[in-house]
Amino acid sequence: QSVLTQPPSVSGAPGQRVTISCTGSSSNIGATYDVHWYQQLPGKAPKLLIYATTNRPSGVPDRFSGSKSATSASLAITGLQAEDEADYYCQSYDDSLNGLYVFGTGTKVTVL
Amino acid sequence: QVQLQESGPGLVKTSQTLSLSCTVSGASISDNSWSWIRQPPGKGLEWIGYFYYSGNTKYNPSVKSRATISIDTSKNHFSLKLRSVNAADTAVYYCARLRVGEFDYPGYTWFDPWGQGTLVTVSS
């Protein structure tokens, strides 16, 4: 039951900048809860990419950045590289139904 | 370096109980919080539940009455039991550590790291 909406796909040429939106509501992102982003390479487990909305774990290139405004969040990838081709998911927490973690619908990034 | 590894049957019969374990290395099972997440083939991620370091558990309403997450400190692993499974429970199941951020509240926590995942197929 994805309550965070992402575009199904985005694409860009190597070196370009792409952004992925994550649209929520007042019961999740709008409730000031953090947003986190995960990268899932084909056939692999998700890997933490951005935590607490804007922070990169050690080892994640600074080409990846996160932001949030009101009930939405965004992931930006600058200087797109072939190895960035993957599925990306946002995640937050939702106050409805007595509280639960929610993931975005997922976005497939294609490097042209 | 914290590492997680899921284990359990890859095939479970309809109406039976799915049982998975997650072995943790590099971190104390009792000092951290842990979670299970699943991904049906070709679909997105769904949070199943967590075992918080305080001893509290919480489950997604979609599985609440059927799921139990527990920890075994002697083996440094945690487990998932999902009862009365059906075809809709077919998925890759991931275990993950739940990291606590600025505030010790679920709204400020995230999943890192994840295990490699294990595919469980439910079939009669």
Side-chain angles (χ1 to χ4, degrees), chain A residues 1-2 31-34 36 38 40 44-48 51-52 89 91 93 95 97-105, chain B residues 37 39 43-47 50 52 58-62 64 94 98 105-112 114-117:
Chain A
Q1 74 265 65
S2 297
T32 74
Y33 294 139
D34 284 340
H36 318 287
Y38 303 88
Q40 187 173 32
K44 300 294 186 180
K47 169 193 156 188
L48 181 69
Y51 68 94
Y89 293 91
Q91 175 248 310
Y93 187 77
D95 279 333
L97 300 174
N98 202 31
L100 75 162
Y101 291 95
V102 289
F103 287 93
T105 49
Chain B
I37 298 150
Q39 184 173 34
K43 297 189 178 180
L45 300 165
E46 179 184 38
W47 171 72
Y50 69 56
Y52 221 64
K58 193 175 187 70
Y59 303 100
N60 191 319
S62 67
K64 182 177 182 179
Y94 296 101
L98 195 53
Y105 183 77
Y108 306 96
T109 57
W110 60 92
F111 306 105
D112 178 58
W114 298 52
Q116 66 183 33

Side-chain angles (χ1 to χ4, degrees), chain B residues 78-112:
Chain B
F78 63 104
S79 302
L80 168 70
K81 291 190 185 299
L82 187 64
R83 296 173 292 278
S84 303
V85 298
N86 56 61
D89 294 310
T90 293
V92 174
Y93 285 76
Y94 296 101
C95 58
R97 181 174 63 171
L98 195 53
R99 298 298 304 275
V100 177
E102 183 179 7
F103 305 106
D104 189 1
Y105 183 77
Y108 306 96
T109 57
W110 60 92
F111 306 105
D112 178 58

